[in-house]
Amino acid sequence: MNAKNRLVVISAPSGAGKTSLCAKLLANIPNLVLSISSTTRAPRGTEKHGVEYEFLTREDFQAKIQAGRFAEWAEVHGNYYGTSKDTIGRAFQAGNSVLLDIDVQGAKLIRQAYPSESVLIFVQPPSIEELEKRLRGRGTESEENIQKRMKNARDELAEMDSFDHVIMNDEFERAAFELEAIVRQSMGVTYA
Ligand code: 5GP
C-alpha cells in the first residue's frame, strides 16, 4: 500500500509527555515530518529560531494572519501559535505526512480545514496531580505560568472526547507503541 499524506495532530496538556512521544514517533516512522509552528512566545533555554519554532513579533504574526498564511492559529497561554499553510503544502508535495504538535483549538481548526487528511490524537496524562508534578519538575515555568497551564489543562481534558484517539500516557513505552500503531495505520505504512 502506498503511504497516504496525513496530518497527524497530537494535542495534550503541557506536561503530558507529548514531546517525548512525538520524538519517538518521528524517529520510527519514515515520511513523517514535524511541522515547525510560528509563535510570539519568547524562546526558552536553548530554543532556536527555525528549530523549535519560528519566533515572531506580534506585529509579524498578525501580518501573517492578515495575509492568510496560516492553516490554523490560536492564542495559547497568552501567546499566539500557528501552523503555516506552506509547511503543510511543502510536506505533502514531497510525499510526506506532517506531525502537528498543537493545542485543542488548533486541532479542531485543522480538522475543519483538512477533514479527510487529519487524524486527531489526544495524549492524556495519568492524573491532574501528576501533570502538575511534571510541569513543576521541568523547572522552566514561573508560578503564574504553571497556574495558567494547569487551568488550560483542565479545559483541554474536557475536550478529549472530540478526538479520534485518546492515548493514556501512564507508561511511556506502551503509550509510544500505541501511538505508533495508530499513526502507521492512518498512513497505510506497515512495520519495516
Ligand atoms: P509551548 O509554549 O509549551 O511550546 O507550547 C504551548 C502549547 O501551544 C502546546 O500545547 C502546543 O501544542 C501549542 N502549540 C504549539 N504550536 C502550535 C500551533 O502552531 N498552533 C496551535 N494552535 N497550538 C500550538
Side-chain angles (χ1 to χ4, degrees):
M1 200 194 315
N2 285 329
K4 298 176 209 156
N5 284 157
R6 288 282 177 251
L7 291 173
V8 178
V9 180
I10 303 202
S11 297
S14 322
K18 181 176 53 168
T19 309
S20 313
L21 286 172
C22 286
K24 181 145 192 185
L25 194 61
L26 288 163
N28 286 356
I29 301 192
N31 298 111
L32 179 67
V33 295
L34 181 66
S35 160
I36 297 176
S37 299
S38 305
T39 184
T40 59
R41 155 165 97 55
R44 263 189 221 132
T46 58
E47 287 182 341
K48 292 213 167 44
H49 184 82
V51 180
E52 287 81 7
Y53 284 104
E54 177 188 40
F55 294 100
L56 299 180
T57 61
R58 279 183 101 82
E59 293 69 39
D60 287 347
F61 197 100
Q62 264 151 355
K64 220 171 146 174
I65 296 174
Q66 294 304 321
R69 291 181 50 207
F70 285 117
E72 64 75 34
W73 65 271
E75 194 168 353
V76 188
H77 315 136
N79 286 300
Y80 290 135
Y81 292 83
T83 309
S84 300
K85 285 180 187 163
D86 275 0
T87 306
I88 296 175
R90 271 198 307 269
F92 277 7
Q93 208 139 34
N96 291 322
S97 287
V98 190
L99 180 62
L100 306 178
D101 166 353
I102 64 179
D103 88 317
V104 168
Q105 309 166 71
K108 290 179 171 174
L109 293 168
I110 289 289
R111 176 188 264 157
Q112 274 170 30
Y114 303 88
S116 43
E117 289 90 358
S118 56
V119 183
L120 269 54
I121 304 168
F122 190 91
V123 176
Q124 186 185 6
S127 69
I128 210 89
E129 292 76 24
E130 177 63 24
L131 192 70
E132 185 161 356
K133 206 168 100 191
R134 289 186 195 172
L135 206 50
R136 288 187 186 282
R138 265 193 208 170
T140 55
E141 306 297 330
S142 64
E143 182 59 31
E144 188 194 345
N145 258 334
I146 289 174
Q147 293 307 329
K148 230 190 252 180
R149 280 165 192 262
M150 288 308 296
K151 183 195 174 303
N152 208 40
R154 288 188 197 96
D155 294 346
E156 293 207 310
L157 284 168
E159 305 236 28
M160 71 182 178
D161 288 349
S162 63
F163 279 64
D164 300 317
H165 303 275
V166 176
I167 294 178
M168 160 65 77
N169 190 16
D170 49 356
E171 208 263 298
F172 180 77
E173 290 303 331
R174 200 215 80 257
F177 182 81
E178 212 177 292
L179 178 63
E180 185 174 337
I182 290 168
V183 175
R184 281 187 183 272
Q185 196 191 16
S186 75
M187 289 172 62
V189 179
T190 48
Y191 285 86

